[in-house]
């Protein structure tokens, strides 16, 4: 698979901002309901940033804002110095719902991304070989000719990850990409994403609600909690150096303490939200 793994040279994370929130913060609402309120998150070039929090707290919404698929009500998001409102950012995106073209095989979905990336620099046969390499990275080498309707949910998600990798953007946005996978495949792909983050010049924003996954992958975790006026965030640096050994990390007391710290932040946000809510009965009295 040398054709795939040698595409980029190793680089170190820089202090340059890959994604920047212009103005103090951004807000986003839908049909009169605030989903995000005064969110202020910048992403450094080469950083693996994890957005973590319970379901429904705005993580996926913020990812869509970064991808330029939604626009904030207030403020703007700059990717490589350009507003996402002016130009759709150059990024690979992995959604929870796979987003594969159902009329194309796994191989053909990857070839389509490679064509956009390579602009006619490869023959059809070379593109097919590269597509097979990318599918092999996600353990789908046996399924190159399968169509999405012939694949399980986990296989489709792996094909979507392979397509995002093949697209070759410096920025990857991943929305709970491993949720539908079995534990062993999930471990393999976590390690693959870490390898890509460390060996290649890619900035990765990764959404999850799994604390172990967040800590294992992230340089920094942004915790999302649902407030009465929309999501609020807390940023936490992950104190463990990379590369990380899964077995040693997960068995250490430092990991256990940090995991409890992360979960306490998330749980406190949930408790604060419950206290802010006012439950009203049918007679108008507070419950």
């Amino acid at each position: 698979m040398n054709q795939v793994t040698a595409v980029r040279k190793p680089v170190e994370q820089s202090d340059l901002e890959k994604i920047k929130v212009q103005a103090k913060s951004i807000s986003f609402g839908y049909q009169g309901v605030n989903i995000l309120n005064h969110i202020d998150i910048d992403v450094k070039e080469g950083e693996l940033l994890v957005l973590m929090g319970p379901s429904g707290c705005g993580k996926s919404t913020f990812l869509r804002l970064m991808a330029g698929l939604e626009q904030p009500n207030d403020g703007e998001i700059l990717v490589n110095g350009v507003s996402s409102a002016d130009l759709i950012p150059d990024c690979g995106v992995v959604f929870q719902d796979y987003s594969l073209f159902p009329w194309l095989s796994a191989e053909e979905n990857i070839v389509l991304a490679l064509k956009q990336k390579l602009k006619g620099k490869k023959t059809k046969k070379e593109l097919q070989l590269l597509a097979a390499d990318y599918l092999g990275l996600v353990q789908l080498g046996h399924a190159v000719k399968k169509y999405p309707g012939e694949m399980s949910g986990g296989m489709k998600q792996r094909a979507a990850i392979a397509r995002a990798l093949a697209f070759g953007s410096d920025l990857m946005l991943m929305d709970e990409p491993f949720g539908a996978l079995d534990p062993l495949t999930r471990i393999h792909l976590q390690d693959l994403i870490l390898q890509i983050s460390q060996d290649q010049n890619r900035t990765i924003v990764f959404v999850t609600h799994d604390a172990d996954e967040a800590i294992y992958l992230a340089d920094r975790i942004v915790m999302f909690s649902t407030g009465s006026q929309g999501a609020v965030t807390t940023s936490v640096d992950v104190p463990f150096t990379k590369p990380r050994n899964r077995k040693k990390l997960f068995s250490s007391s430092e990991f256990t303490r940090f995991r409890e710290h992360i979960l306490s932040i998330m749980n406190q946000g949930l408790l604060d939200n419950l206290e802010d809510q006012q439950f009203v009965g049918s007679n108008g009295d507070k419950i």
Side-chain angles (χ1 to χ4, degrees):
M1 299 181 188
N2 292 335
Q3 292 171 294
V4 172
T5 56
V7 171
R8 299 173 184 271
K9 295 180 181 180
V11 297
E12 294 184 359
Q13 180 180 324
S14 75
D15 290 330
L16 297 175
E17 290 168 332
K18 187 73 173 179
I19 302 173
K20 180 175 178 59
V21 172
Q22 186 73 1
K24 184 176 180 181
S25 61
I26 65 157
S27 300
F28 180 81
Y30 179 69
Q31 293 184 345
V33 178
N34 280 340
I35 299 173
L36 301 174
N37 189 46
H38 300 305
I39 301 299
D40 186 2
I41 299 173
D42 294 343
V43 186
K44 294 179 181 178
E45 186 174 343
E47 184 176 27
L48 202 165
L49 178 71
V50 168
L51 309 181
M52 181 185 163
S55 298
C57 64
K59 307 183 302 295
S60 297
T61 297
F62 189 69
L63 202 77
R64 292 181 65 83
L65 289 169
M66 286 189 283
L69 301 175
E70 304 278 1
Q71 293 301 322
N73 299 338
D74 297 302
E76 63 179 346
I77 295 177
L78 305 182
V79 180
N80 291 325
V82 179
S83 172
S84 62
D86 297 332
L87 180 68
I88 295 293
D90 176 16
C91 60
V93 184
V94 181
F95 294 107
Q96 297 178 52
D97 57 0
Y98 322 126
S99 300
L100 297 173
F101 295 110
W103 58 89
L104 298 179
S105 67
E107 176 189 75
E108 290 166 339
N109 268 281
I110 309 305
V111 165
L112 184 62
L114 288 168
K115 283 182 177 178
Q116 292 178 296
K117 170 187 174 184
L118 298 173
K119 308 294 185 183
K121 296 178 181 178
K122 298 287 185 181
T123 66
K124 179 180 179 180
K125 183 63 176 178
E126 288 172 328
L127 290 173
Q128 289 173 332
L129 290 174
L130 277 172
D133 281 345
Y134 278 107
L135 288 167
L137 281 177
V138 296
Q139 300 181 331
L140 277 183
H142 62 288
V144 291
K145 301 299 182 182
K146 286 185 177 292
Y147 289 86
E150 301 173 315
M151 295 188 287
S152 68
M155 291 172 69
K156 285 186 281 190
Q157 188 67 311
R158 281 183 278 160
I161 293 168
R163 185 178 62 182
L165 293 173
F167 190 71
S169 171
D170 291 341
L171 173 62
M172 293 183 64
L173 307 176
M174 310 186 78
D175 189 3
E176 298 194 50
F178 306 151
L181 305 179
D182 64 88
L184 288 178
T185 302
R186 187 169 186 154
I187 287 172
H188 167 76
L189 290 180
Q190 287 172 350
D191 290 340
L192 175 63
I193 293 302
L194 269 182
Q195 178 188 337
I196 290 166
S197 174
Q198 293 164 25
D199 296 346
Q200 303 178 15
N201 184 24
R202 302 211 196 196
T203 304
I204 300 174
V205 182
F206 188 103
V207 171
T208 186
H209 60 266
D210 184 283
D212 290 359
E213 181 170 74
I215 297 169
Y216 183 62
L217 293 177
D219 298 309
R220 181 165 57 102
I221 299 171
V222 173
M223 307 289 298
F224 276 65
S225 300
T226 303
S228 58
Q229 300 299 317
V232 294
T233 59
T234 304
S235 180
V236 183
D237 291 328
V238 178
F240 308 114
T241 58
K242 290 182 175 179
R244 293 170 184 160
N245 179 290
R246 182 186 300 270
K247 184 177 181 180
K248 289 182 179 179
L249 177 64
F250 284 8
S251 62
S252 68
S253 57
E254 292 83 1
F255 172 83
T256 301
R257 286 195 295 269
F258 186 70
R259 185 178 188 275
E260 290 175 352
H261 173 59
I262 289 294
L263 290 176
S264 68
I265 295 173
M266 186 169 70
N267 291 335
Q268 186 60 52
L270 291 172
L271 291 173
D272 290 343
N273 184 45
L274 287 174
E275 290 177 0
D276 288 341
Q277 291 179 3
Q278 293 183 344
F279 298 93
V280 181
S282 58
N283 60 356
D285 294 334
K286 293 180 181 181
I287 299 176

